[in-house]
Amino acid sequence: MPELPEVEVTRQALAPWVEGRTVRAVTVREPRLRWPVPPRLPRLLAGHEVLRLERRGKYLLWRFAHGTLISHLGMSGVWRVHPLRAPPAGRHDHVDLRIGGACLRLTDPRRFGALLWQPAGSGALDDHPLLARLGIEPFDPRFDGAWLYRHTRGRVAAIKLVLLAGEAVVGVGNIYASESLFRAGIDPRVPARRLGPRRCERLARAVRAVLAEAIAVGGSTLRDFVSASGEAGYFMREAAVYDRAGAPCRACSTRIRRLVQGQRATYFCPRCQRK
Ligand SMILES: [Zn+2]
């Protein structure tokens, strides 16, 4: 599943192809994504310039003067850029945006992605139901140890689950939660409210560092988005604990353990990560 770093890398890859360019045509072959693609989308967008391509959590926000196209990759979505002519559409190629001279194609086999329109003047974008409850961005200057400390008080759930919930900070998906907790030396089962200010500080730094590294690694594969795979999960090669059950910890050689929390796999080093 695409996580925040993959979405940010997608944004960086698409931005030069769309920002300051005009939508020439929109083709919707399959409107049945997670929610129906608005039937009037082609008319709404044609002839209008994309001012900026932004990201909020795992949503891409295509900002126009008259509104915002909100898109989400769901479980399996990928945007690819075809600089000149796109090849014939396959059965999972649901939407084409012809912007400037390029074709941007949304491919989504499982169709959990989304493409929605929010007109300007219908309230602040931050108040949109999909965005209103998102936590702070991990790279927002306000996100630090003190923030994490404040937002974990009274939370009896395990810190891994609190990170995944995305209300304290957004974008720490399953891979990055395990990796961040390893880097901070915190056992994923610790009740969030038990973390003191110092461990919250370490964790906030770890979250930022792990996500920044994943984006940097993905950034080096930006070319792949042009007429190529754009596969997610490039961070995995360098994971410290994720998907490494039974393998030796890179720091202390203790075997990495796997457990299930909230129906998701968690990986951790029982020696490096303290309760
Ligand atoms: Zn270890």
Side-chain angles (χ1 to χ4, degrees), residues 182 249-254 256 269-273:
F182 172 79
C249 171
R250 299 194 199 280
C252 76
S253 297
T254 302
I256 299 300
C269 171
R271 185 157 169 212
C272 291
Q273 295 178 249

Side-chain angles (χ1 to χ4, degrees), residues 3-262:
E3 297 199 22
L4 184 144
E6 285 82 7
V7 179
E8 175 58 22
V9 169
T10 298
R11 189 197 66 76
Q12 292 175 13
L14 299 188
W17 299 93
V18 306
E19 289 186 339
R21 294 172 196 257
T22 298
V23 177
R24 288 169 48 201
V26 178
T27 306
V28 179
R29 295 184 197 84
E30 172 56 88
R32 292 172 300 170
L33 301 184
R34 180 163 184 190
W35 299 285
V37 178
R40 60 206 169 94
L41 198 65
R43 266 178 298 135
L44 278 168
L45 299 187
H48 291 275
E49 179 189 344
V50 183
L51 303 176
R52 291 180 311 283
L53 186 60
E54 299 173 349
R55 179 189 55 73
R56 177 76 176 99
K58 297 204 288 182
Y59 293 93
L60 283 179
L61 307 176
W62 310 61
R63 309 299 297 262
F64 293 81
H66 65 314
T68 302
L69 179 66
I70 302 173
S71 73
H72 195 283
L73 295 172
M75 308 283 287
S76 59
V78 172
W79 284 99
R80 292 189 185 89
V81 180
H82 301 281
L84 296 169
R85 186 172 299 166
R91 58 184 288 236
H92 302 304
D93 297 336
H94 305 313
V95 177
D96 283 357
L97 302 181
R98 297 199 56 83
I99 301 182
C103 175
L104 281 72
R105 175 168 284 175
L106 176 64
T107 305
D108 186 0
R110 297 187 62 182
R111 291 197 280 114
F112 279 103
L115 215 51
L116 298 169
W117 177 251
Q118 169 85 345
S122 59
L125 190 60
D126 286 344
D127 294 334
H128 189 282
L130 291 174
L131 308 177
R133 290 182 54 202
L134 294 181
I136 197 171
E137 287 286 324
F139 302 111
D140 188 307
R142 290 171 294 169
F143 174 65
D144 59 10
W147 176 281
L148 200 53
Y149 183 76
R150 277 202 305 282
H151 287 82
T152 46
R153 293 314 89 190
R155 303 292 300 269
V156 295
I159 182 61
K160 159 92 186 301
L161 295 176
V162 169
L163 287 176
L164 278 188
E167 288 158 15
V169 57
V170 77
V172 189
N174 203 40
I175 299 173
Y176 304 107
S178 280
E179 293 295 309
S180 301
L181 286 164
F182 172 79
R183 197 170 298 200
I186 296 169
D187 188 302
R189 297 166 293 186
V190 174
R193 67 178 181 186
R194 287 240 322 262
L195 295 178
R198 286 177 62 184
R199 292 214 288 180
C200 283
E201 185 60 46
R202 282 215 306 274
L203 183 54
R205 280 184 199 189
V207 161
R208 267 216 260 241
V210 163
L211 290 174
E213 286 166 26
I215 291 168
V217 171
S220 65
T221 65
L222 283 184
R223 269 171 214 283
D224 293 348
F225 282 84
V226 181
S227 308
S229 68
E231 291 297 320
Y234 25 67
F235 184 67
M236 302 279 290
R237 278 168 290 168
E238 297 170 22
V241 289
Y242 188 81
D243 206 21
R244 295 193 66 238
C249 171
R250 299 194 199 280
C252 76
S253 297
T254 302
R255 281 174 187 272
I256 299 300
R257 277 185 55 194
R258 176 186 190 276
L259 58 89
V260 174
Q261 292 177 290

